[in-house]
Amino acid sequence: MLGKFFKKPGPELGDRVPPGQHLTNGFPVLTYGDTPQLSADEWEFKVWGLATPKTFTWEDFMAMPQHEFTADFHCVTRWSKLDVKWTGVKVTDFLQQVEIDPKAVHVMEHCYGGYTTNLPLEDFAREQNFFAHTLFGEPLPAEHGGPMRLVVPHLYAWKSAKWINGLEFLDKEESGFWERNGYHKRGEPWAEERYSNALF
Ligand SMILES: Nc1nc2c(c(=O)[nH]1)N[C@H]1C(S)=C(S)[C@@H](COP(=O)(O)O)O[C@H]1N2
Ligand SMILES: [Mo]
């Protein structure tokens, strides 16, 4: 009888919040270091490494198909925000304009300000991943990565690089900033891949 009053959170939400996370209604800002301030006009995006080098401008990105995305956002520091609404360009659409060497298996994301984060090509080249320039219908604020950031919804949010300005294609795994500083290499929230055991 009592059990009826002590149920776990409704399955609607329970199913969507990974273990060890709590929900937040706000949208906390998590940045290591200073917030770069740059306009869309100044923003540039490069690919290099095991891909034919190429530079993209803001206009190049605006000319690609634009989509709206609704995605949950999970920070390894244990907050999650559900149903974040973004507008931007699918990674898979962007990649149609990049000539990747078949030897490439890994990607390093580079950012204005020097932040880096890495992921396997198969985690990067997913239909669900996107470059975002709009958040809840407004231009993406600088503190959330504006003018442009990456969003990788299926991994912890440190993989979602703010102020992204380049991709380096690699033939092996290399570690980005947090990965070198004790975070897990892959960071899958449902498996609680938070930190690498060597350091924590
Ligand atoms: N360039 C850059 N990107 C970054 C970070 C950062 O410090 N610098 N922090 C990461 C972390 S740990 C998280 S949780 C999210 C936070 O995004 P938000 O500040 O928009 O909430 O951005 C990720 N992308
Ligand atoms: Mo984070």
Side-chain angles (χ1 to χ4, degrees):
M1 189 61 196
L2 264 181
K4 183 166 146 186
F5 300 101
F6 292 94
K7 282 193 178 135
K8 285 193 197 153
E12 334 76 60
L13 285 189
D15 280 358
R16 291 184 51 194
V17 184
Q21 297 292 109
H22 65 260
L23 289 179
T24 175
N25 289 322
F27 197 173
V29 170
L30 252 279
T31 301
Y32 186 86
D34 295 332
T35 296
Q37 301 287 342
L38 68 151
S39 67
D41 285 350
E42 293 167 285
W43 180 82
E44 250 188 10
F45 191 87
K46 291 184 193 297
V47 300
W48 71 93
L50 290 173
T52 306
K54 197 167 171 182
T55 302
F56 295 85
T57 64
W58 186 261
E59 279 182 7
D60 294 332
F61 269 74
M62 293 308 117
M64 296 177 203
Q66 305 292 312
H67 294 278
E68 292 185 0
F69 304 88
T70 300
D72 298 346
F73 197 88
H74 309 295
C75 173
V76 71
T77 64
R78 298 186 181 272
W79 56 268
S80 290
K81 183 171 179 59
L82 303 183
D83 292 327
V84 185
K85 306 257 194 271
W86 311 88
T87 312
V89 173
K90 283 183 184 181
V91 164
T92 48
D93 286 339
F94 166 76
L95 286 177
Q96 305 224 336
Q97 303 197 19
V98 181
E99 209 181 318
I100 306 175
D101 186 316
K103 288 197 286 290
V105 292
H106 213 84
V107 181
M108 186 70 76
E109 304 168 32
H110 292 264
C111 305
Y112 288 97
Y115 183 87
T116 52
T117 184
N118 64 285
L119 74 184
L121 188 51
E122 60 182 319
D123 275 320
F124 177 69
R126 287 202 180 195
E127 190 73 15
Q128 293 79 10
N129 299 345
F130 53 93
F131 296 91
H133 53 71
T134 298
L135 173 63
F136 291 114
E138 303 287 339
L140 182 60
E143 68 266 27
H144 285 299
M148 189 77 84
R149 79 179 300 167
L150 188 74
V151 180
V152 178
H154 74 291
L155 298 177
Y156 282 123
W158 86 79
K159 303 288 185 182
S160 294
K162 304 196 278 191
W163 317 290
I164 192 161
N165 70 356
L167 295 172
E168 180 183 3
F169 290 87
L170 303 163
D171 62 1
K172 59 178 183 343
E173 178 170 71
E174 283 182 25
S175 292
F177 175 73
W178 281 121
E179 293 83 4
R180 280 196 305 276
N181 285 284
Y183 282 18
H184 193 275
K185 293 280 188 268
R186 180 154 185 264
E188 214 279 82
W190 296 92
E192 286 207 71
E193 293 175 342
R194 295 176 189 277
Y195 306 108
S196 66
N197 297 326
L199 287 167
F200 287 85

